[in-house]
């Protein structure tokens, strides 16, 4: 037991380390695995390709001996099957006979009647041939009955005797029957099957040459009859065969024949699979696929299910290939039928381990690092995997000891396959899994964001100005951009490759080409198939091939067949004189019209050497199968052919005529032959035309299928929107097609400073200190919280200097903001800005608080503040290079940090200083004021619910999470407040439709509640320098400061978890969300991604010249904008910059992500929508009527996919209807 | 789920009326029986083809030429038997109170079927030295099949019982001359026949249990919905 435990621990530890290794170096390991797979599969190249064509092997005749059965004496290239005696030795006698000289008195039947008649004497000669008391009878292959199904052929094929096949079989080898046969052609053709036939017909069988080249036809051009007498010998007697050859040659010399006689060809036939044998095979494959299907269906909780399924199948298949390759490397050539045992091997090896691994890894805690997850998953399943593997090996070992060769071989393969499968699982699949898990982790982080709120129906937003509608403005219009000019520049190379692959369907085409090549190889390796058929066709068509070339060159005639006249033009025929017999050199036969009486010429070419090649490769198997002799996995030896030339005189032909011959066949003129040639030509032409049309149609269909894009007008848009086949689009986002009209929210008199939203409500605060609460869906203004102090100050209006009066007058008049900006006071204020602040502060400090009018003191302070804000709000006008708002604001805050702490004294009266920060949760608005006061307002009723004045320094940033408020102050301290609700009635209402129940509760504080806000903890020196950014999510509070550090606090106990150092400048932007993605950007233009759990830096990139002004993360990328007005999109996992978008001047900071693939940016009076995946500009929506509009300074993405951007004193709500559709 | 049913050639879609039909016990029983019958007939046809190719069994000659290469009564018999066995297995499980826990998923069932076909294949195609060796190998394979995919005592007992009964029935059939084996070595039949029967029983039982699982699921869902 202890041994077992120790073993278990060791195995588990080893797997853990292995998992770490695999997840740490995925790419090298995958490369290594691929290399080893390829190495192991290399021996497979030597295995023959699957195909059923026969295989040949040629040996010399002279030193031939029957090959032995044993494997010893391996003679190099000698194939495996060449063992033992063949089924039969085939001796063919090729007879070419012609009536010559041709006489005009002869009828067409004479072409073949008398030559065919000579077969009987030849047969007799062969049968009677005796060489030293050996006759054919003793040597030939004795056959018995024909198969029962071939009864109708009984009279045609030999039975119970020698297998000797010749045309004479048509007439039962009896001359008298032949002579009395009135119509030879009918006899020959009556056994031909109708329609198409692929295998050998009876005519092929008996004649031994292809039907067309027999010359048994009324329209034969050459008037030469060719046929073979095929003798099957059961044993080979060299002397007998030689004497037969010599005898026949002596009797019928063919002088111009120089056929090679020194080679015999052994033809090996493979097993042919019939339909009946295929059915079980197909069944096993169906079961196999069902198994694979059901197995891979269980893969779950991963990023790409299909990818992993593919990896699993690849693992199993390549392990099989490896096992076959390894076995053949060590000399174990597979004798089993690979296709048959393959499914069983797959089933034995199985996909189980792969699934178990996946499940185990997936079930590890999600918040761990990927490496650790893989390692843990591996080690937890290690014991069961090892146990299963051992069990399987034992079972296979038992199988090996059954001592049945077939099972032993199967077991050997299975063992090697199992081991290689284990290897691949451990290295290949684990690595793929780690990559997948990592991808999913990144995707998962953003998916776990709070779900979108219950979607309101998309509004066809007409302009609905709520307050003071200026009648002069018509509704803002929308312009849809056609094709952005810089769209195509921005795609990263990586994506382009993927798009290229998807667009051109490269993979499909490669597969198609591969199939074509494979078919080509099959045809090429199939010796008796198409190639020889084509060669035969060509040589038959071409008259040059017959005669023009000296036959001993051994060059197959390859001249294309054409019409004879054109050939004649090239090679003029010799004068049509009757040629003498036995002329040594053949000439082309001139068969053209003027010379109809040319004598037939018998020629011997190299194509006659192996006449059987021109027949179907099923010729021999079908011949033997008639006698129930199978050639599958056996071979026959074909001896060199014996040529026999027969010349018959016209008299002989006339003598052998049957009485009906003359009236039966009318004289055929040369015209008919020519006509037929023409007809063939026309047929070929028509066929070619038809094939061409078909090809064009096919190509057209292919084109439509592959490129269904509309290349015409609007093509760009269509092409871009048809992204169903692009792999990147997993989110189903389709860009907005409908017009988007913005909804304007008006009412603020001055520029809007703070914006806050919680999905349903929207709160805005302008420089005048007025807070307005809007319904984020309808755009109705719900509440107006006026700045009480302002009204107080208004009473003392006359006490102020002229500057202040100047400044406040236009505000009260509710004039257009632009006009207000042109007041002469501002430039003066801006001009001496550095001096002004201390001056004013000093003034306040000097005045004793008790004597000071509260309104006066406030008004002045507010004025200064306003001056700063105004300065931010309109940067482009005074400063052409335009440092955007964020930076300026930080600067100014930094300047102010040196402000003396005298403001503490002002605090009690300063209850309406300007609002610096605002947050909205439930229906509570938390407002942080410059005086350091924290106020809680009821958003619906507009009443002040609570006020906390513990702090003195101005609140620069607020975070409101659950019932806690975190406030960052100007002096670098961080205060944590708790909001307590004392319910008199214990009622806690929830606002919103019931569909929102899944959201984090945003409790509605009813008016009866007594709300108190208490400072729970104050971190005095959270940062050495002012806190610039404060973000809170997922129970963490993250602060960024000008002291170059980022700090992470826990919300519950205000405990500082990490101080993240890595920036070389002040922090200007921070992003954190529910899934604890933390990104920070600094003044140095660097962007850091942090792991909030460990506090380690994940990646660090430099992206901007100048400050990073805002940061957003999505599942796959990080978006950053900088002072250089550039929006950069980074790949989140690798930190590679995908592309960047040049923004309009001054609008760099405004960006938001609506969905995974939709980015919205602000511009001069407009917002633009971008496709995040491709960097395409989808649409630009103009917010105002005129194009000159102000820059969009802030951009907020609401839960209901609307955008709020403040430009000037107006807010604009833009709904993106298509996003809503998508989320449905 | 829908795929599984589609695969079994029944095409029961997951729609409202169908669910109610499936949850109805008798209908469900009929559906399962039908599926098992179809599977049994199919396997019988295919495996018979294997045997006939190797001339293991001899049927009257005029039937051989037909596509269904055995006598007409063989597939229905096999189908009925498999339906019975497939329905009986979950019943026994329920009555014995030891529900089948091992690897209850379709991929495992498919693996089991594949091994079963493989055993048949081996019995038909692999050339063994003698019959004892063949029978022993197949017996080991069958027990291995049971160990890998079943491991329940009830399954084993049922398999052995059915195998004995079926062997007896075959003996009687052959004795009465309905058909015959080419080279009988165990009275009138081949000695590996019980092993094949045993493996077949295990396989069909597996399928039947897997099908019954759906009924349980549906019933549970229904209870849940109510």
């Amino acid at each position: 037991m202890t041994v077992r435990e120790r073993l278990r621990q060791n195995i588990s530890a080893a797997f853990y380390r292995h998992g770490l290794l695999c997840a740490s170096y995925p790419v090298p390991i995958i490369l290594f695995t691929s290399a080893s797979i390829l190495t192991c599969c290399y021996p497979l190249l030597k295995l023959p390709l699957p195909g059923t064509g026969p295989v040949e092997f040629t040996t010399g005749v002279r030193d031939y001996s029957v090959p032995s059965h044993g494997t010893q004496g391996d003679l190099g290239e000698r194939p495996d099957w060449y063992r033992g005696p063949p089924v039969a030795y085939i001796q063919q006698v090729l007879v070419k006979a012609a009536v010559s000289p041709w006489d005009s008195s002869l009828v067409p039947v004479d072409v073949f009647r008398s030559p065919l008649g000579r077969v009987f004497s030849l047969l007799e000669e062969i049968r009677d041939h005796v060489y030293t008391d050996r006759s054919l009878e003793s040597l030939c292959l004795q056959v018995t009955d024909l198969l029962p199904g071939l009864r109708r052929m009984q009279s045609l094929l030999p039975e119970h005797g020698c297998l000797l096949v010749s045309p004479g079989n048509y007439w039962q080898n009896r001359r008298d029957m032949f002579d009395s046969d009135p119509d030879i052609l009918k006899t020959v053709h009556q056994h031909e099957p109708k329609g198409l036939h692929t295998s050998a017909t009876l005519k092929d069988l008996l004649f031994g040459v292809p039907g067309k080249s027999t010359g048994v036809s009324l329209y034969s051009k050459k008037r030469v009859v060719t046929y073979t007498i095929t003798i099957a010998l059961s044993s080979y007697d060299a002397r007998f065969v030689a004497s037969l050859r010599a005898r026949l040659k002596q009797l019928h010399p063919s002088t111009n024949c120089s056929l090679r006689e020194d080679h015999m060809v052994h033809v090996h036939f493979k097993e042919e699979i019939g339909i009946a044998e295929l059915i079980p095979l197909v069944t096993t494959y169906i079961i196999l696929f069902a198994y694979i299907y059901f197995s891979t269906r269980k893969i779950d909780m991963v990023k790409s299910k299909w990818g992993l399924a593919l990896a699993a199948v690849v693992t199993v298949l390549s392990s099989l290939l490896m096992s076959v390759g390894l076995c053949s490397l060590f000399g174990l050539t597979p004798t089993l039928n690979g296709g048959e045992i393959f499914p069983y091997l797959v089933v034995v090896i199985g996909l189980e381990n792969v699934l178990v691994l996946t499940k185990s890894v997936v079930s590890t805690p999600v918040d761990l690092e990927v490496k650790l997850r893989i390692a843990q998953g591996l080690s937890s399943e290690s014991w069961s995997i090892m146990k299963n593997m051992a069990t399987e090996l034992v079972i296979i070992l038992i199988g090996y000891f059954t001592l049945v060769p077939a099972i032993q071989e199967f077991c050997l393969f299975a063992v090697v396959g199992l081991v290689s499968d284990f290897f691949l699982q451990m290295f290949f699949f684990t690595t793929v899994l780690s990559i997948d898990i990592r991808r999913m982790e990144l995707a998962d982080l953003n998916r776990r964001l709070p779900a979108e709120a219950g979607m309101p129906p998309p509004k066809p937003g007409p302009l609905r100005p709520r307050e003071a509608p200026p009648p002069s403005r018509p509704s803002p219009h929308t312009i849809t951009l056609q094709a952005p000019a810089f769209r195509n520049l921005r795609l990263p190379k990586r994506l382009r490759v993927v798009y290229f692959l998807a667009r051109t369907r490269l993979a499909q085409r490669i597969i198609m080409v591969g199939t074509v090549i494979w078919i080509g190889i099959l045809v090429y390796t199939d010796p008796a198939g198409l190639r020889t058929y084509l060669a035969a066709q060509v040589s038959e068509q071409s008259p040059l091939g017959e005669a023009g070339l000296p036959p001993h060159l051994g060059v197959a005639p390859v001249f294309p067949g054409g019409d004879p006249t054109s050939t004649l033009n090239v090679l003029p025929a010799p004068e049509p004189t009757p040629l003498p017999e036995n002329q040594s050199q053949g000439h082309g036969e001139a068969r053209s019209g003027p010379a109809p009486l040319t004598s037939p010429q018998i020629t011997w070419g190299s194509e006659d050497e192996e006449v059987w090649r021109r027949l179907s490769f099923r010729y021999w198997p079908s011949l033997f199968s008639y006698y129930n002799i199978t050639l599958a996995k056996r071979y026959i030896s074909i001896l060199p052919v014996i040529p026999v030339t027969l010349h018959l005189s016209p008299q002989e032909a006339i003598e052998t005529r049957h009485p009906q011959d003359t009236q039966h066949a009318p004289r055929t003129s040369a015209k008919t032959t020519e006509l037929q040639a023409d007809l063939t030509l026309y047929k070929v032409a028509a066929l070619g035309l038809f094939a061409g049309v078909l090809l064009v149609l096919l190509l057209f269909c292919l084109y439509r299928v592959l490129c269904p894009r509309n290349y015409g007008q609007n093509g760009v848009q269509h092409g871009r929107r048809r992204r169903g086949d692009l792999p990147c689009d997993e989110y189903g986002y389709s860009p907005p097609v409908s017009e988007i009209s913005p909804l304007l929210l008006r009412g603020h008199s001055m520029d809007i400073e703070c914006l806050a939203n919680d999905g349903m409500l929207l709160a805005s605060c302008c420089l005048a200190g007025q807070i307005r609460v809007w319904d984020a869906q309808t755009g109705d203004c719900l509440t107006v919280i006026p700045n009480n102090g302002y009204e107080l100050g208004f009473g003392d209006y006359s006490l102020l200097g002229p500057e202040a009066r100047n400044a406040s007058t236009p505000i009260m008049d509710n004039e257009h903001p632009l006009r207000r900006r042109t007041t002469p006071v501002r430039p003066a204020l801006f001009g001496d800005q550095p001096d002004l602040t201390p001056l004013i502060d000093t003034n306040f400090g000097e005045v004793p608080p008790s004597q000071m009018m509260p309104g006066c003191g406030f008004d002045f302070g507010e004025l200064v503040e306003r001056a700063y804000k105004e300065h931010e709000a309109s940067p482009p006008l005074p400063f052409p290079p335009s440092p955007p708002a964020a930076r300026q604001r930080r600067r100014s805050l930094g300047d102010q940090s040196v402000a003396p702490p005298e403001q503490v004294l002002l605090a009690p009266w300063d209850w309406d200083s300007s609002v610096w920060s605002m947050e909205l949760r439930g229906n509570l608005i938390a407002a942080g004021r410059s005086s350091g006061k924290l106020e809680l307002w009821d958003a619906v009723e507009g009443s002040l619910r609570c006020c906390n004045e513990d702090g003195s320094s101005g609140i620069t940033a607020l975070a409101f999470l659950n019932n806690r408020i975190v406030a960052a102050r100007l002096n670098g301290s961080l205060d944590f407040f708790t909001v307590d609700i004392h319910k008199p009635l214990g009622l806690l209402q929830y606002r919103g439709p019931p569909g929102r129940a899944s959201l984090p509760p945003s409790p509605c504080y009813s008016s009866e509640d007594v709300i108190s806000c208490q400072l729970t903890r104050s971190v005095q020196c959270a940062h050495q320098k002012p806190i610039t950014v404060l973000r809170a999510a997922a129970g963490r509070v993250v602060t960024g400061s000008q002291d170059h550090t980022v700090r992470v606090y826990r919300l519950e106990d205000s405990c500082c978890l990490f101080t993240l150092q890595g920036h070389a400048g002040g922090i200007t932007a921070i992003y954190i969300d529910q899934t604890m993605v933390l990104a920070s950007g600094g003044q140095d233009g660097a962007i850091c991604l942090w792991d909030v759990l460990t506090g380690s830096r994940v990646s660090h990139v430099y992206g901007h010249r100048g400050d990073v002004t805002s940061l957003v993360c999505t599942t796959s990328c990080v978006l950053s904008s900088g002072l250089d007005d550039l929006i950069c999109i980074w790949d989140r996992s690798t930190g590679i910059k995908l592309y960047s978008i040049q923004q309009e001047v001054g609008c760099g900071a405004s960006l938001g992500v609506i969905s995974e693939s939709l980015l919205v940016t602000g511009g001069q009076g407009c917002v633009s929508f971008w496709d995040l995946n491709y960097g395409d500009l989808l649409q630009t929506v103009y917010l105002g009527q005129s194009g000159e509009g102000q820059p969009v300074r802030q951009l907020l993405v609401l839960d209901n996919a609307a955008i709020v951007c403040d430009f000037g004193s107006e807010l604009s709500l833009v709904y993106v209807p298509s996003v809503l559709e998508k989320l449905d | 789920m829908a795929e599984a049913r589609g695969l079994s050639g029944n095409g029961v879609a997951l729609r409202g009326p169908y669910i109610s039909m499936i949850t109805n016990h008798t209908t469900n029983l009929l559906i399962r029986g039908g599926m098992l019958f179809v599977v049994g007939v199919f396997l019988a046809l295919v495996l018979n083809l294997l045997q006939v190719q190797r001339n293991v069994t001899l049927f009257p000659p005029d039937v051989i030429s037909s596509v269904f290469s055995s006598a007409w009564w063989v597939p229905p018999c096999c189908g009925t038997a498999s339906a019975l066995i497939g329905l009986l297995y979950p019943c026994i499980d329920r009555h014995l109170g030891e529900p089948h826990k091992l690897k209850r998923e379709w991929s495992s069932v498919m693996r089991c079927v594949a091994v079963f076909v493989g055993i048949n294949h081996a019995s038909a195609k692999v050339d063994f030295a003698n019959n004892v060796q063949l029978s022993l190998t197949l017996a080991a394979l069958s027990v291995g099949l049971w160990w890998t995919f079943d491991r329940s005592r009830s399954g084993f007992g049922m398999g052995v019982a059915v195998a004995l009964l079926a062997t007896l029935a075959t003996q009687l059939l052959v004795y009465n001359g309905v058909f015959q084996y080419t080279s009988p070595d165990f009275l009138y039949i081949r000695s590996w026949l019980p092993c094949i029967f045993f493996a077949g029983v295990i396989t069909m039982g597996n399928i039947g249990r897997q099908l019954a699982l759906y009924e349980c699921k549906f019933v549970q869902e229904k209870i849940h919905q109510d």
Side-chain angles (χ1 to χ4, degrees), chain A residues 1024-1064:
Chain A
Q1024 270 87 36
K1025 287 190 174 175
I1027 295 171
T1028 51
V1029 213
L1030 173 72
R1031 292 278 186 278
R1036 297 283 186 276
V1037 178
V1038 185
T1039 58
S1041 159
Q1042 295 212 314
D1043 61 359
H1044 304 189
T1045 57
V1046 176
R1047 286 189 176 220
V1048 181
Y1049 292 88
R1050 197 151 50 204
L1051 190 59
E1052 302 100 71
D1053 52 0
S1054 349
C1055 161
C1056 178
L1057 297 177
F1058 303 110
T1059 301
L1060 310 175
Q1061 291 175 328
H1063 282 284

Side-chain angles (χ1 to χ4, degrees), chain A residues 107-221:
Chain A
V107 292
V109 184
D110 292 330
V111 171
F112 49 83
R113 179 174 277 275
S114 54
L116 275 182
R118 293 291 284 271
V119 74
F120 302 104
S121 57
L122 269 174
L123 279 174
E124 218 160 297
E125 186 67 41
I126 291 167
R127 279 183 198 282
D128 295 345
H129 182 76
V130 176
Y131 176 78
T132 57
D133 74 293
R134 280 168 195 264
S135 70
L136 188 70
E137 204 65 33
S138 61
L139 288 172
C140 76
L141 184 73
Q142 301 284 342
V143 290
T144 55
D145 286 330
L146 281 170
L147 275 184
L150 297 166
R151 279 168 198 139
R152 62 185 182 85
M153 284 181 153
Q154 238 162 4
S155 60
L156 295 173
L157 288 172
E159 272 188 305
H160 305 289
C162 281
L163 182 56
L164 185 73
V165 182
S166 72
N169 284 85
Y170 278 119
W171 301 276
Q172 275 118 47
N173 291 334
R174 281 161 61 190
R175 178 78 196 216
D176 51 337
M177 282 187 73
F178 177 76
D179 285 340
S180 59
D181 187 358
D183 192 346
I184 294 175
L185 281 179
K186 195 179 161 205
T187 314
V188 169
H189 286 287
Q190 68 185 352
H191 296 289
E192 291 304 289
K194 304 282 182 289
L196 284 170
H197 50 270
T198 52
S199 62
T201 62
L202 189 66
K203 189 180 173 189
D204 290 343
L205 277 183
L206 296 187
F207 275 90
V209 286
K212 277 183 185 167
S213 51
T214 51
V216 183
S217 155
L218 289 178
Y219 313 109
S220 169
K221 293 176 237 165

Side-chain angles (χ1 to χ4, degrees), chain A residues 525-859:
Chain A
T525 50
D526 181 4
L530 273 177
R531 192 168 49 123
T532 46
Y533 176 74
L534 285 178
Q537 288 287 313
V538 165
S539 63
E540 191 183 59
Q541 289 283 320
S542 161
L544 277 179
E546 296 290 322
L549 291 167
H552 56 266
L553 278 182
V555 180
V558 288
F559 287 94
D563 70 350
T565 50
S566 70
T567 319
L568 281 174
N569 289 341
V570 177
L571 186 77
E575 62 270 29
T577 47
L579 290 163
E581 290 186 11
N582 303 341
Q583 191 179 354
S584 60
Q585 279 297 322
H587 288 281
E589 297 161 77
R591 299 182 310 276
S592 50
L597 298 179
T598 318
S599 281
Q601 183 64 42
I602 294 171
T603 54
W604 293 94
S606 62
E607 76 278 356
D608 294 328
E609 271 177 22
E610 284 160 344
V611 143
W612 51 271
R613 279 188 198 281
R614 286 152 55 185
L615 292 162
S616 158
F617 69 94
R618 292 216 176 80
Y619 178 80
W620 301 115
S622 54
L623 176 62
F624 282 92
S625 70
Y626 290 155
Y627 300 97
N628 203 9
I629 300 170
T630 176
L631 289 185
K633 294 183 179 178
R634 294 160 85 182
Y635 76 100
I636 56 171
S637 301
I638 297 172
L639 304 174
V641 75
I642 303 174
V644 169
T645 310
L646 296 173
H647 287 284
L648 295 99
S649 63
Q651 288 78 18
E652 198 177 346
I654 292 169
E655 278 164 19
T656 53
R657 257 187 212 166
H658 190 268
Q660 287 184 5
D661 279 355
T662 41
Q663 68 244 28
H664 175 260
R667 283 182 93 82
T668 54
S669 64
K671 207 177 170 187
T672 50
T673 59
E674 212 173 349
L675 190 73
Q676 196 175 13
D678 286 352
L679 265 182
T680 325
L681 207 69
Y682 291 144
K683 269 193 238 165
V684 167
L687 211 68
L689 195 69
F690 178 69
V693 169
L694 209 68
L695 196 71
V696 167
L697 278 178
L698 192 73
L699 281 179
F700 183 69
C701 291
L702 266 183
Y703 173 80
R704 290 305 295 268
V705 166
L706 293 182
C707 325
R709 296 215 263 162
N710 187 1
Y711 284 118
Q713 65 273 25
N714 293 334
V716 177
Q717 295 233 326
H718 277 275
R720 206 170 61 221
R721 284 180 189 163
R722 220 187 60 75
R723 47 179 57 98
D725 53 343
L726 294 182
C728 289
D729 191 21
E730 299 173 2
Y731 305 104
Y733 166 69
S734 64
V737 182
S738 55
E739 299 279 290
I740 298 173
S741 330
L743 192 65
L744 285 186
L745 313 180
R746 293 205 180 121
H748 280 294
S749 52
M750 294 182 72
D751 277 8
I752 290 158
E753 173 55 29
C754 303
L755 272 179
N757 83 302
D758 73 334
M760 305 297 284
L761 294 179
L762 176 71
S764 63
C765 175
C766 71
L767 286 177
Q770 191 186 47
I771 298 173
R772 281 174 181 263
V773 182
W774 315 81
D775 187 331
Q777 292 174 29
T778 61
D780 298 335
C781 180
L782 300 175
T783 325
V784 180
I785 304 171
N787 193 336
N788 301 331
Y790 190 80
E791 272 143 354
L792 260 177
F794 183 54
D796 301 324
Y797 174 64
S798 53
L799 293 177
L800 290 170
E803 292 174 5
R805 204 183 303 156
N806 264 342
S808 48
T809 311
I811 303 167
M812 292 315 296
D813 292 344
N814 223 348
E815 267 197 40
H816 194 271
L818 263 185
R819 181 108 64 84
R820 177 169 51 82
R821 199 165 282 155
T822 56
T823 50
V825 181
R826 296 305 140 75
L829 267 178
F830 291 140
D832 52 355
Q833 184 187 20
D835 305 327
L836 183 65
T837 314
L839 180 80
I840 294 168
D841 281 340
T842 315
N843 278 343
F844 278 124
E846 280 169 1
V847 178
S850 55
Q851 296 167 6
M852 207 185 73
M853 299 279 290
C856 174
F858 160 69
D859 260 5

Side-chain angles (χ1 to χ4, degrees), chain A residues 819-947:
Chain A
R819 181 108 64 84
R820 177 169 51 82
R821 199 165 282 155
T822 56
T823 50
V825 181
R826 296 305 140 75
L829 267 178
F830 291 140
D832 52 355
Q833 184 187 20
D835 305 327
L836 183 65
T837 314
L839 180 80
I840 294 168
D841 281 340
T842 315
N843 278 343
F844 278 124
E846 280 169 1
V847 178
S850 55
Q851 296 167 6
M852 207 185 73
M853 299 279 290
C856 174
F858 160 69
D859 260 5
F860 215 99
E862 196 205 32
L863 186 68
V864 173
E865 274 308 313
R866 201 183 301 151
Y868 275 104
K869 309 295 171 174
E870 281 303 312
H871 167 64
E872 306 171 22
S874 57
L877 297 178
F879 306 115
S882 113
R887 183 187 186 180
Q888 205 59 31
R889 183 179 180 179
R890 306 305 169 217
R891 283 266 168 82
S892 62
L893 291 176
D895 291 344
Q896 273 201 353
S897 67
V898 297
E902 284 91 335
Q903 272 187 343
V904 182
L905 303 172
L906 296 178
W909 295 273
D910 190 24
W911 64 289
D912 43 10
S913 57
S914 74
V915 177
W916 276 5
S917 53
M918 193 168 65
E919 273 290 314
L920 179 63
R921 279 289 172 276
N923 54 356
L924 277 184
I925 300 173
R929 292 193 173 264
S930 55
S931 58
K933 202 162 68 170
L934 179 72
E935 292 171 341
L936 286 177
W937 295 82
D938 191 310
V940 179
E941 297 178 357
S943 57
L944 180 67
R945 306 302 303 272
C946 177
C947 182

Side-chain angles (χ1 to χ4, degrees), chain A residues 276 298 340 344 347 402 404, chain B residues 3 53 105 111 121 128 133:
Chain A
K298 288 187 294 183
E340 265 178 38
Y344 302 123
V347 165
T402 51
V404 181
Chain B
E3 296 96 317
Q53 273 168 21
E105 46 210 14
R111 215 177 173 189
H121 201 139
F128 284 87
Q133 197 183 26

